[in-house]
């Protein structure tokens, strides 16, 4: 009989606590003595006050004393002793076809005023390495400089590197609106509220609004919300890729995502490194990049990640790390933007690493010629613009000077203009004058 009682007591013993209590709190972090969770898991802090709304939080550190939480919302109204419970769907994001044509926040909740969204949830395992296929089909963006000189394939991961005020948002909007794909998921991280609203108003009147989903975490929201926005966007793109669809993902911007990760890393006690970046940034960036791409026998996720830079020549470790992870990058130039040249793509500093695999030999050769023209001109820019160069001195430089204006005209385009890839290719081939400089 004694053995039976002992067994019953052991069965009742809560080895892994399902809940805990708040023991310490600041404006940015909450500490609790449970429940037993892992770093990255989500939980809910339930205020003792009647009719109070639970506050969702992310676990950022675990110790023998308990867990440290970064709340998704303000801690106003929380008190010591409030109960902490594991969230019903853990860290998984919401997915489903009902998210098509909607604007949501980082937790999958609608922000468009059009009613609740019925979705499903469930964490998806990363694709095995050999199920990640190389892009083999060009993505038509309708933008000459991209389709002609920096061709992107379905499933490619590209970066857009730009300082403030050089037309990044304008280019991102044009890519999202014109790209020929089944779905478009736009993740706005740390953006101004008015820009989110303006973008959504444009989507609402788009011919195929059901292609678009906007996931937004504005600049006034806490770091966990800005990080979760990217998780939510990726979950949706993976859901549609699994169904065999071609999905375009735009994350604007990776820089603000990294800043949010830094806040979370510091809250979790991680040491700051170069430029105060915490180690979790360099752990998470490869993960989000590798979650994109083509899945063998199914769909694709083509991703554009925007990266903010202080100026054209900044030596930023974040910029270099992102460049090393991606399949190419588009660099926007302040000099071109100030000259009214849009999109302000610096062709010489931009590259698509899969370009030669996605286009034929004629287009590849023509693009190489255009790059040589621009590189040759840049080498002698000071001499040319100061008037010290005399025409006829260097035949190759004369050819580059003559071709430069045509290349610049080719690479300029209105934000509402769509050019078919076939026409872009034809116009590009015309730019190469009879094999000069070959």
């Amino acid at each position: 009989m004694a053995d039976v009682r002992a067994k019953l007591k052991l069965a009742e013993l809560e080895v892994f606590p399902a809940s805990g209590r708040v023991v310490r709190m600041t404006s940015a972090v909450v500490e609790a003595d449970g429940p037993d969770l892992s770093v990255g898991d989500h939980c809910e802090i339930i205020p003792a006050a009647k009719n109070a709304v639970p506050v969702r939080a992310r676990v950022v550190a675990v110790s023998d004393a308990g867990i440290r939480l970064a709340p998704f919302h303000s801690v106003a109204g929380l008190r010591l002793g409030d109960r902490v419970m594991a969230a019903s769907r853990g860290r998984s994001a919401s997915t489903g076809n009902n998210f098509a044509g909607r604007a949501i926040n980082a937790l999958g909740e609608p922000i468009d005023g059009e009613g609740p969204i019925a979705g499903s949830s469930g964490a998806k395992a990363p694709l095995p390495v050999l199920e990640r296929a190389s892009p083999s089909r060009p993505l038509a963006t309708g933008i000459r400089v991209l389709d002609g000189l920096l061709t992107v394939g379905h499933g490619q991961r590209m970066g857009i590197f730009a300082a403030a005020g050089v037309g990044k948002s304008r280019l991102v909007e044009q890519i999202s609106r014109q790209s020929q794909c089944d779905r478009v998921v736009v993740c706005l991280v740390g953006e101004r509220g008015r820009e989110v609203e303006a973008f959504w108003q444009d989507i609402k009147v788009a011919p195929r609004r059901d292609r678009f989903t906007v996931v937004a975490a504005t600049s006034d929201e806490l770091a966990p919300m800005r990080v979760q926005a990217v998780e939510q966007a990726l979950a949706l793109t993976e859901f549609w890729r699994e169904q065999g669809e071609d999905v375009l993902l735009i994350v604007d911007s990776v820089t603000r995502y990294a800043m949010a990760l830094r806040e979370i890393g510091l809250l979790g006690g991680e040491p700051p490194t170069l430029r105060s970046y915490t180690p979790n940034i360099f752990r998470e960036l490869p993960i989000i990049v590798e979650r994109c791409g083509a899945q063998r026998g199914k769909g694709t996720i083509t991703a554009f990640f925007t990266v903010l830079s202080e100026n054209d020549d900044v030596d930023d470790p974040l910029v270099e790390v992102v460049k090393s992870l991606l399949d190419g990058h588009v660099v926007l130039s302040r000099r071109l933007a100030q000259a009214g040249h849009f999109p302000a793509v610096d062709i010489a500093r931009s590259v698509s690493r899969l370009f030669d695999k996605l286009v034929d030999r004629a287009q590849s050769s023509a693009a190489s010629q255009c790059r040589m023209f621009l590189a040759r001109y840049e080498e002698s820019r000071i001499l040319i613009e100061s008037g010290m160069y005399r025409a006829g001195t260097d035949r190759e430089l004369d050819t580059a000077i003559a071709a430069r204006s045509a290349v610049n005209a080719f690479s300029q385009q209105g934000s509402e203009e769509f050019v078919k890839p076939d026409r872009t290719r034809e116009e590009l081939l015309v730019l190469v004058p009879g094999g000069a400089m070959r």
Side-chain angles (χ1 to χ4, degrees):
M1 191 66 178
D3 289 341
V4 172
R5 289 175 181 171
K7 288 180 180 180
L8 288 173
K9 286 186 178 181
L10 283 173
E12 293 172 358
L13 182 63
E14 192 176 23
V15 179
F16 300 103
S19 66
R21 301 285 177 179
V22 174
V23 297
R24 185 175 178 274
M25 181 170 51
T26 69
S27 60
V29 67
V30 174
E31 294 183 8
D33 57 12
D36 189 71
L37 297 173
S38 301
V39 172
D41 284 345
H42 294 182
C43 61
E44 290 186 339
I45 306 169
I46 304 173
K50 190 176 181 180
N51 299 324
V53 178
V55 176
R56 197 174 184 90
R58 173 188 175 115
V59 179
V60 296
V62 178
S63 70
D64 54 1
I67 57 176
R68 186 176 298 177
L69 309 169
F72 286 95
H73 303 293
S74 170
V75 297
L78 297 183
R79 298 287 187 272
L80 294 180
D82 285 344
R83 194 175 183 191
V84 180
M85 298 185 65
S88 57
R89 53 186 176 89
R91 67 176 76 185
S92 59
S94 298
T95 62
N97 287 322
N98 291 332
F99 287 92
R102 301 297 300 271
I104 60 175
N105 67 11
L107 299 177
E109 301 163 342
I111 59 173
D112 51 17
E114 299 184 10
I117 304 173
S120 58
S121 62
K124 183 173 175 58
L127 281 181
V129 174
L130 296 184
E131 284 190 26
R132 305 172 196 174
S134 297
S136 58
R137 296 176 292 123
L139 170 69
T141 66
I143 303 172
R144 274 192 300 262
V145 69
L146 295 185
D147 292 346
L149 300 173
L150 300 165
T151 306
V152 177
H154 282 284
Q156 190 165 347
R157 292 80 55 92
M158 293 287 288
I160 299 178
F161 296 80
V166 297
K168 171 183 64 68
S169 296
R170 181 168 152 181
L171 178 59
V172 163
E173 289 171 9
Q174 190 170 6
I175 291 171
S176 66
R177 187 175 62 251
Q178 294 184 173
S179 294
Q180 304 298 290
C181 55
D182 302 314
R183 306 278 184 179
V184 181
V185 178
V186 180
C187 182
L188 302 175
V189 182
E191 281 286 358
R192 292 178 286 271
R194 64 172 180 80
E195 292 191 355
V196 175
E197 193 274 339
F199 189 87
W200 177 241
Q201 292 303 321
D202 289 340
I203 297 301
K204 286 176 69 174
V205 298
R208 286 190 56 198
R209 171 184 161 176
D210 62 317
R211 284 201 316 146
F212 297 89
T213 301
V214 175
V215 183
T218 51
S219 57
D220 60 327
E221 295 189 73
L222 299 181
M225 286 291 277
R226 283 176 272 143
V227 170
Q228 184 63 24
V230 177
E231 294 291 327
Q232 176 62 57
L234 281 167
L236 287 171
T237 59
E238 289 170 331
F239 170 79
W240 282 313
R241 179 177 64 184
E242 188 75 20
Q243 293 185 346
E245 300 188 73
D246 290 323
V247 188
L248 173 66
L249 170 66
I250 295 176
V251 178
D252 186 15
S253 70
V254 167
T255 306
R256 298 192 187 106
Y257 171 72
M259 296 304 100
L261 283 174
R262 179 169 65 183
E263 289 185 46
I264 290 175
L266 292 172
L267 290 175
E270 295 196 16
T273 59
L274 186 63
R275 291 206 171 203
S276 299
Y277 293 131
T278 46
N280 64 331
I281 295 174
F282 305 105
R283 288 197 305 270
E284 295 297 328
L285 286 177
I287 293 173
I288 68 167
V289 170
E290 286 301 315
R291 286 175 67 180
C292 305
Q295 182 175 1
R296 194 173 303 281
K298 294 189 178 179
T300 63
I301 300 173
T302 307
F304 282 88
F305 299 97
T306 71
V307 183
L308 303 174
S309 56
E310 296 169 11
N311 56 61
D312 288 346
D313 302 312
V314 68
D315 180 20
D316 188 334
L318 181 65
V319 170
E320 297 307 315
V321 167
V322 175
K323 279 185 179 179
S324 71
L325 296 172
L326 298 175
D327 303 318
H329 51 270
V330 177
V331 178
L332 302 188
S333 165
R334 183 176 297 283
R335 177 176 55 79
L336 291 174
Q338 290 173 340
H341 181 125
F342 291 102
V345 177
D346 189 331
I347 297 169
R349 297 174 62 199
S350 303
V351 64
S352 169
R353 294 195 174 105
L354 301 177
F355 180 78
D356 290 334
K357 296 181 180 180
L358 297 169
V359 302
D360 58 30
R361 184 174 297 178
Q363 183 173 341
S364 177
S365 176
S368 295
Q369 291 293 97
C370 288
R371 288 179 177 277
M372 284 196 293
F373 292 146
L374 295 175
R376 189 71 178 85
Y377 183 92
E378 289 299 322
E379 286 176 3
S380 306
R381 173 184 288 278
I382 295 176
L383 289 175
I384 297 167
E385 295 184 352
S386 65
M388 296 176 65
Y389 176 74
R390 204 176 272 184
T393 305
D394 185 327
R395 185 175 64 85
E396 290 187 352
L397 183 55
D398 289 340
T399 303
I401 293 171
R404 179 174 175 270
S405 60
V407 175
N408 282 342
F410 172 83
S411 61
Q412 285 182 294
Q413 186 174 335
S415 60
E416 301 295 327
E417 182 184 1
F418 178 89
V419 182
K420 292 183 178 180
D422 290 345
R423 182 182 161 194
T424 292
R425 180 182 179 279
E426 292 171 3
E427 292 181 7
L428 177 61
L429 297 182
V430 171
L431 294 180
V432 182
M437 294 181 63
R438 294 194 183 188

